Amino acid sequence: MISKIFRTIIIGPPGSGKGTISTRIVKDFGMKHLSSGDILRKQILDGTAAGSTAKQFIDKGQLVPDNVMVQLIINELKKIQGNSWLLDGFPRTLTQAKSLYEEEPVDVVVNLNVPFNVIIERIEKRWTHIPSGRIYHTEFNPPKLQGKDDKTGDDLIQRDDDKPETVRKRLETFQNLTQPVLEFYRSKNILAEFTGSYSNEIWPEVHKLLSTYKSPLQYTEYK
Ligand code: G5P
Ligand code: MG
């Protein structure tokens, strides 16, 4: 059957610009954006049971257990069935990647390869609007009004897991657990790699790649 749905994944270490590049992809190519971190933070904000379990792991820079994560994301994907999607921050382990592959085909995986030293500096200056997932940076992408979300005027916050020692732990976790995910997609020939220190340099390359797919963006044949 011909599916008019395009399924994209964006992978990269913490602070590599997944959220930043995702916002631009959504704007230009119109897919549904699902960020695993945003979904978890929303659960925490809403005080759900899943949120309180997740918080214990997130605050330590550890991954939330695979079974919790897979269930959460598969449920979210069901809600947007029939739409093209962009998954940001999931999968992060080989188990998650294999579970997703059993449920849904994937068209392309965008890997952001950004040096770790650049990342530490970026995260220190990040401010977030948790309910929407909108992200700012005091220099790279400042809000119109200092400390306030552009759309709602709500206060921006610094994420609890953005403390330097937690960021280092998150980078280590990425190195150990997410590298095999890249290997998995490389072996399927759907991994596209982008190396650089600046999102403004990486973005045109990502745009070029996604533009090579026939318009409308979605066009995968699968059984
Ligand atoms: P998250 O929320 O997925 P991470 O750690 O993967 O968190 P993060 O921190 O959200 O990734 P990002 O989205 O890759 O980073 O980066 P970003 O927010 O766009 O950019 C970072 C900052 O740099 C921003 O302020 C941005 O404005 C700025 N910036 C961007 N580009 C540039 C540039 O070129 N120059 C400059 N100067 N600045 C720039 O996951 C959080 C936690 O949730 C759990 C885990 O515990 C995880 O640690 N979790 C999962 N657990 C298990 N399985 C999963 N699948 C999970 N997903 C999440
Ligand atoms: Mg993010």
Side-chain angles (χ1 to χ4, degrees):
M1 99 194 219
I2 300 283
S3 159
K4 291 199 169 187
I5 294 174
F6 193 77
R7 306 162 191 84
T8 315
I9 291 173
I10 188 160
I11 298 186
S16 56
K18 298 183 295 297
T20 302
I21 300 283
S22 292
T23 306
R24 297 180 189 188
I25 293 176
V26 168
K27 185 163 171 276
D28 284 11
F29 297 99
M31 307 178 200
K32 298 274 181 195
H33 176 216
L34 284 185
S35 153
S36 54
D38 286 353
I39 292 167
L40 292 169
R41 283 183 289 278
K42 185 74 176 37
Q43 298 267 342
I44 295 171
L45 191 70
D46 293 345
T48 67
S52 90
T53 307
K55 187 167 168 40
Q56 295 166 32
F57 294 92
I58 294 174
D59 286 353
K60 287 188 222 144
Q62 295 171 354
L63 294 186
V64 175
D66 284 336
N67 57 339
V68 177
M69 258 350 276
V70 169
Q71 193 64 47
L72 206 59
I73 297 296
I74 300 295
N75 281 345
E76 292 295 323
L77 285 174
K78 285 205 175 106
K79 288 186 204 163
I80 58 164
Q81 215 167 23
N83 292 283
S84 295
W85 48 253
L86 169 65
L87 264 183
D88 157 4
F90 181 96
R92 259 175 156 91
T93 65
L94 199 51
T95 305
Q96 292 179 12
K98 288 182 173 168
S99 304
L100 177 66
Y101 217 78
E102 280 166 18
E103 293 280 334
E104 296 267 0
V106 174
D107 296 293
V108 66
V109 178
V110 169
N111 176 35
L112 304 181
N113 189 9
V114 177
F116 284 8
N117 59 336
V118 173
I119 284 170
I120 306 266
E121 186 270 346
R122 276 186 192 181
I123 289 188
E124 276 171 7
K125 295 177 182 164
R126 170 167 59 190
W127 289 83
T128 307
H129 181 246
I130 299 288
S132 68
R134 276 187 288 278
I135 35 178
Y136 301 88
H137 180 280
T138 45
E139 290 151 18
F140 172 71
N141 178 31
K144 288 181 188 134
L145 259 179
Q146 197 188 341
K148 303 284 180 193
D149 177 48
D150 286 352
K151 283 213 173 139
T152 61
D154 292 345
D155 286 342
L156 299 174
I157 63 128
Q158 288 199 288
R159 279 168 43 181
D160 286 341
D161 61 341
D162 278 353
K163 296 186 190 81
E165 67 276 16
T166 316
V167 172
R168 268 189 282 277
K169 176 75 193 148
R170 284 160 59 200
L171 288 168
E172 202 181 292
T173 305
F174 176 84
Q175 192 80 335
N176 295 334
L177 296 175
T178 310
Q179 288 300 337
V181 176
L182 298 178
E183 277 310 315
F184 177 77
Y185 289 124
R186 200 172 280 129
S187 75
K188 308 268 179 213
N189 281 324
I190 53 171
L191 186 69
E193 309 216 47
F194 301 88
T195 300
S197 297
Y198 307 101
S199 295
N200 287 346
E201 275 175 14
I202 291 177
W203 166 238
E205 299 303 316
V206 174
H207 189 278
K208 208 185 292 170
L209 170 84
L210 295 179
S211 303
T212 61
Y213 294 88
K214 295 261 181 313
S215 182
L217 227 194
Q218 326 93 337
Y219 232 69
T220 310
E221 195 166 355
Y222 73 100
K223 292 189 174 68

